[in-house]
Amino acid sequence: MPDLLLELFSEEIPARMQGKAADDLKRLVTDKLVAEGLVYEGVKAFATPRRLTLTVHGIPARQPDLKDERKGPKVGAPDAAVQGFLKAAGLASLDEAKIQKDPKKGDFYVALIEKPGKPAIDVIAEFLPVIVRTFPWPKSMRWGERSRKPGALQWVRPLHSIIATFGMETEEPDVVNFNVDGIEAGQTTRGHRFMAPAEFSVRRFEDYEAKLFGAKVVLDSARRKDIILADAKTLAQAQNYELVEDQGLLDEVSGLVEWPVALMGSFDKDFLSIPDEVIRATIRANQKCFVVADPATGKLANKFILTANIEASDGGAAITAGNERVIRARLSDAKFFYETDLKTKLEDRLPKFDQIVFHEKLGTQAERIARIERLAAEIAPLVGADVEKTKRAAKLCKADLLTEVVGEFPELQGLMGKYYALAQGEDASVAAACEEHYKPQGPNDRVPTDPVSIAVALADKLDTLVGFWAIDEKPTGSKDPYALRRAALGVIRLLLDNSLRLRLLALVSAHSAVMAGLVPAIHDLADSKKGVDARDKRGHDDVSDNLLSFFADRLKVQLRDQGARHDLVDAVFALEGQDDILMIVRRVEALAAFLATDDGKNLLAGTKRAANILRIEEKKDGRAYDGVPDASLYAQDEEKALAAAIDRAKADAGAAVAKEDFAAAMTAMAGLRPAVDAFFEKVTVNADDKAIRENRLKLLNEIRAATRAVADFSKIQD
């Protein structure tokens, strides 16, 4: 079966756009092939700075012939309907249609339409120009004389040539005949801009890839990354250093070169007085270079590794010298910023926050810091942190946002706060909290373990969540501009990884009340929704309950990623007052272990059967059967046995839950299984005697009530 080779050759495509562009090209072409009935066998897409390439294997030579039946009007229908049918079906007269009989609806006309398939190369020639013209670049440009004309081609960078060949592996391929804005598709491309700029002709993908490599172009970005990483490590090891690996930088650099050549440069040792992270950020941001470290100390060395796009005749000496000049200047700036920052204490920067708005409805940064300090002081005793150190850390943790270094490199916020706090003599826990209060920022980020850092990190995240919940700026769909999902997951990981007990509902409710009193926008919103008193009979407000549900959703995501069942989280959260994340997880773990046993599976089935009968009968009777059963109405031994088993299970499970021994609580629930099984086997719930029927329904309700000591079994999926 034929293969398609497509190359779109242009000026340099920004590195950040290349990966998505290759994926988009693959998606657009393959979707169109499938839509046209050309089901292919395999596809690969590639990107370099100057080309997007696609190879599609095993495309049918022709579209399949299509046969379709189009139903027409009834026999004897008005002439206008008949003529419309003939025109739509492409028939000259009714003689070309057939009549289909239908004894119920009457006879009607049917047109048999046969559409012969077209050669695949012609189909491809029709849709490729459309894909090129409508390619979804984030930004595009026009160029040259043609750009003045209406409808001129727009592309991310000037498009120079197109390769489009189609044919069998064993035959000479044909050129797909089309043009885009005067650019004719052909089978000619160019190699490296400087080392092999001459044009050359290609036939199919294997030939194309090999000739490109001979012309100093490594087509596959994964291969370019491997070359860069291996060569950089070799250079570093040759001088007894270790490469500081950086996957993000590696991805970017591989998109800047077609023929990677690693070179090592150096800078003055005096710059090593700057924190390593500042050196790395400076060299990374300005010159896209890697740094190396001394394996003996773990500290950075005064060396860097750059990736050139050429094998220079001087061995890269001029390229290295040019990078060294730029890096020297940038490190001089960074050293100046750092030393200037050290002259002003973090505390002395705080008054500027009075003039900086955090959010128009949530006040200034100064007001937010005051709220975090207050909340952190409340959390500190709950997590074993020193209250005064926690308050100090909460007060200073945002101050580095006003420093020169963080202004230049925002990714260093928090970290620079730690360095400045240590330099001005702050306690080590206070300094650590300045860095760690942002953590964890993702599923793989480190979780703080110092109690002061934990308290401030929890306060920072909870203040954010309560605040944005209170002003009704919750995440919607895929939109989460304030990273509230990440904040909630951060709270969950802080509690679970440190095995901390915290009653979230009470804490959130109290902070919500504080914010309502301090922030006018929240107070006004609460008043408009529920009047001056926005709290319910349990003392909770809408914000707290809503936020607790959000935590439940995030916890389900967290546990699902670890292989747990989300419905078990629902079953535990459904119980009144479940807001201790650590205990919820332990209860879920015990419930999962129980349901994996035969006792657990059978008890779940019996409980659901009881719940289903109750739901049907309560709906039919228009009442709830939630009263206490009358023991004198038990007519069969199985009723008495079930009632006794329920009493034992309630007592034993309640005592176990009180001790937070959830495994024992599940064992107590398992004791219900034989009695439940016997009851459903021997007892007819809907007895003729109304009093006995009602009593048995109440007994079923007791099963439901007993199991709620450990979870709401109705939330558990079979």
Side-chain angles (χ1 to χ4, degrees):
M1 298 176 77
D3 300 336
L4 169 68
L5 171 63
L6 174 67
E7 182 202 68
L8 303 169
F9 181 84
S10 69
E11 294 296 327
E12 275 74 2
I13 303 167
R16 67 183 184 279
M17 297 183 186
Q18 291 171 20
K20 184 176 184 302
D23 290 341
D24 284 340
L25 183 62
K26 178 167 67 174
R27 173 180 54 82
L28 292 169
V29 171
T30 55
D31 284 357
K32 194 63 180 174
L33 285 171
V34 172
E36 295 290 347
L38 300 170
V39 180
Y40 58 94
E41 293 178 358
V43 60
K44 289 183 180 178
F46 305 90
T48 80
R50 296 210 295 164
R51 69 199 80 223
L52 292 180
T53 300
L54 186 74
T55 174
V56 189
H57 309 290
I59 302 173
R62 293 184 63 85
Q63 285 179 312
D65 295 338
L66 297 178
K67 293 184 179 181
D68 186 25
E69 283 192 356
R70 179 170 297 180
K71 184 178 178 181
K74 289 182 179 181
V75 174
D79 186 61
V82 171
Q83 293 303 318
F85 164 64
L86 293 175
K87 183 177 181 181
L91 303 181
S93 70
L94 287 175
D95 294 338
E96 297 178 12
K98 72 173 187 176
I99 297 175
Q100 188 164 319
K101 297 185 177 296
D102 188 331
K104 292 184 178 179
K105 298 182 179 179
D107 299 346
F108 56 88
Y109 294 108
V110 173
L112 294 176
I113 302 173
E114 295 187 7
K115 183 181 179 183
K118 295 165 59 177
I121 193 170
D122 294 341
V123 176
I124 293 169
E126 289 175 2
F127 69 69
L128 280 184
V130 178
I131 289 175
V132 174
R133 283 189 170 277
T134 60
F135 200 80
W137 293 109
K139 291 183 179 180
S140 56
M141 61 179 288
R142 294 184 295 171
W143 64 94
E145 188 66 27
R146 290 192 185 91
S147 68
R148 298 181 181 182
K149 300 177 182 177
L153 173 66
Q154 297 188 49
W155 196 249
V156 63
R157 293 294 185 269
L159 184 64
H160 292 312
S161 65
I162 299 173
I163 288 178
T165 66
F166 184 78
M168 303 289 288
E169 184 178 353
T170 56
E171 300 175 1
E172 187 70 20
D174 294 317
V175 172
V176 183
N177 186 23
F178 68 92
N179 82 81
V180 180
D181 210 35
I183 303 171
E184 293 281 348
Q187 54 189 117
T188 302
T189 189
R190 299 179 182 89
H192 191 281
R193 182 185 289 276
F194 303 111
M195 293 189 289
E199 293 185 350
F200 56 88
S201 179
V202 300
R203 294 180 300 165
R204 57 183 53 82
F205 178 72
E206 291 76 12
D207 172 55
Y208 166 80
E209 186 177 31
K211 284 184 176 178
L212 274 183
F213 190 78
K216 305 297 185 181
V217 174
V218 179
L219 180 63
D220 190 346
S221 63
R223 188 177 177 189
R224 294 198 300 273
K225 290 176 191 178
D226 290 342
I227 293 170
I228 295 167
L229 188 59
D231 290 354
K233 283 182 176 181
T234 300
L235 276 177
Q237 290 167 0
Q239 299 197 31
N240 296 320
Y241 296 125
E242 284 184 348
L243 177 72
V244 178
E245 295 189 33
D246 186 331
Q247 186 60 49
L249 180 59
L250 181 61
D251 292 342
E252 183 175 8
V253 170
S254 71
L256 298 174
V257 297
E258 289 192 321
W259 190 257
V261 178
L263 302 169
M264 179 176 277
S266 62
F267 55 87
D268 296 340
K269 287 187 176 181
D270 289 347
F271 292 124
L272 294 177
S273 62
I274 309 171
D276 284 359
E277 294 85 357
V278 178
I279 296 173
R280 183 179 177 185
T282 300
I283 292 175
R284 184 189 198 279
N286 290 286
Q287 290 303 103
K288 313 301 179 190
C289 295
F290 298 90
V291 293
V292 299
D294 184 342
T297 63
K299 299 288 289 180
L300 291 188
N302 63 321
K303 302 286 184 180
F304 64 89
I305 294 175
L306 64 99
T307 306
N309 189 33
I310 190 172
E311 293 176 348
S313 58
D314 64 354
I319 296 172
T320 303
N323 277 269
E324 287 176 341
R325 282 194 301 273
V326 176
I327 285 175
R328 186 183 307 117
R330 297 288 76 81
L331 287 176
S332 294
D333 291 342
K335 189 170 186 288
F336 173 77
F337 292 151
Y338 178 65
E339 292 173 348
T340 300
D341 287 340
L342 288 174
K343 295 175 183 177
T344 305
K345 287 191 172 184
L346 291 175
E347 191 169 10
D348 294 338
R349 299 179 185 276
L350 296 178
K352 290 185 179 179
F353 281 129
D354 288 322
Q355 311 303 320
I356 298 175
V357 175
F358 169 65
H359 186 281
E360 61 178 350
K361 294 181 180 179
L362 295 175
T364 64
Q365 272 283 17
E367 291 169 330
R368 180 166 185 259
I369 291 169
R371 294 195 305 267
I372 293 173
E373 184 178 350
R374 178 172 179 169
L375 181 55
E378 293 180 16
I379 294 173
L382 305 177
V383 299
D386 181 276
V387 175
E388 291 306 315
K389 290 180 182 179
T390 301
K391 290 173 67 176
R392 180 68 176 168
K395 185 175 184 178
L396 299 179
C397 67
K398 303 293 183 185
D400 70 335
L401 295 174
L402 299 173
T403 62
E404 298 288 346
V405 170
V406 174
E408 186 74 13
F409 303 110
E411 66 271 22
L412 298 183
Q413 60 184 311
L415 178 68
M416 296 313 300
K418 179 187 76 172
Y419 282 123
Y420 297 139
L422 290 172
Q424 69 183 40
E426 295 290 343
D427 183 89
S429 290
V430 172
C434 287
E435 176 190 8
E436 296 179 334
H437 79 282
Y438 291 109
K439 296 181 178 294
Q441 295 194 46
N444 301 317
D445 196 13
R446 178 174 60 85
V447 176
T449 56
D450 183 280
V452 173
S453 296
I454 293 169
V456 180
L458 286 170
D460 180 46
K461 292 167 178 58
L462 288 173
D463 179 79
T464 298
L465 288 162
V466 171
F468 283 106
W469 239 254
I471 61 173
D472 206 20
E473 291 279 359
K474 305 165 192 169
T476 56
S478 60
K479 295 182 180 178
D480 187 9
Y482 303 111
L484 302 181
R485 293 186 180 95
R486 188 174 70 187
L489 279 172
V491 171
I492 290 169
R493 288 192 64 203
L494 282 163
L495 297 177
L496 295 183
D497 286 24
N498 290 291
S499 298
L500 292 172
R501 306 288 305 277
L502 208 64
R503 301 308 300 261
L504 276 179
L505 191 58
L507 198 62
V508 166
S509 186
H511 195 60
S512 179
V514 168
M515 293 193 76
L518 295 176
V519 183
I522 296 176
H523 186 272
D524 295 344
L525 188 62
D527 286 354
S528 67
K529 284 186 174 181
K530 297 185 68 174
V532 176
D533 185 4
R535 311 179 82 70
D536 65 18
K537 62 183 179 181
R538 296 171 296 160
H540 308 154
D541 55 18
D542 286 341
V543 169
S544 305
D545 287 340
N546 249 294
L547 196 48
L548 191 63
S549 297
F550 184 67
F551 273 112
D553 291 339
R554 294 301 93 202
L555 182 59
K556 280 189 280 187
V557 172
Q558 173 84 355
L559 294 181
R560 185 177 64 228
D561 291 343
Q562 298 172 3
R565 290 170 48 179
H566 66 86
D567 57 326
L568 303 189
V569 181
D570 286 335
V572 173
F573 255 108
L575 303 182
E576 179 70 25
Q578 296 303 309
D579 62 345
D580 184 332
I581 297 292
L582 183 63
M583 288 301 101
I584 288 169
V585 171
R586 290 181 179 173
R587 192 184 288 239
V588 167
E589 290 170 348
L591 183 58
F594 175 56
L595 292 175
T597 67
D598 288 339
D599 282 341
K601 293 172 185 173
N602 290 327
L603 180 60
L604 175 62
T607 302
K608 289 210 163 191
R609 184 175 176 184
N612 288 336
I613 293 171
L614 271 172
R615 184 177 64 252
I616 294 168
E617 299 306 316
E618 287 177 342
K619 183 178 180 181
K620 183 171 67 177
D621 298 343
R623 55 162 295 192
Y625 291 100
D626 52 3
V628 179
D630 185 348
S632 67
L633 293 176
Y634 294 148
Q636 294 179 228
D637 290 342
E638 288 78 11
E639 294 176 86
K640 298 173 185 177
L642 178 57
I646 289 172
D647 289 340
R648 285 195 303 272
K650 277 185 175 179
D652 293 346
V657 168
K659 296 176 184 177
E660 296 177 350
D661 187 349
F662 301 116
M666 300 302 165
T667 301
M669 285 295 106
L672 279 174
R673 179 207 162 174
V676 171
D677 290 348
F679 178 85
F680 281 121
E681 185 178 346
K682 301 290 186 179
V683 177
T684 301
V685 175
N686 288 319
D688 293 334
D689 187 308
K690 290 185 178 180
I692 292 178
R693 173 181 176 272
E694 179 178 341
N695 205 57
R696 287 175 178 173
L697 288 171
K698 288 180 179 179
L699 189 57
L700 292 187
N701 186 65
E702 287 290 290
I703 299 174
R704 186 167 61 180
T707 55
R708 286 186 67 87
V710 293
D712 184 346
F713 275 50
S714 68
K715 301 286 186 183
I716 301 173
Q717 297 175 4
D718 295 331

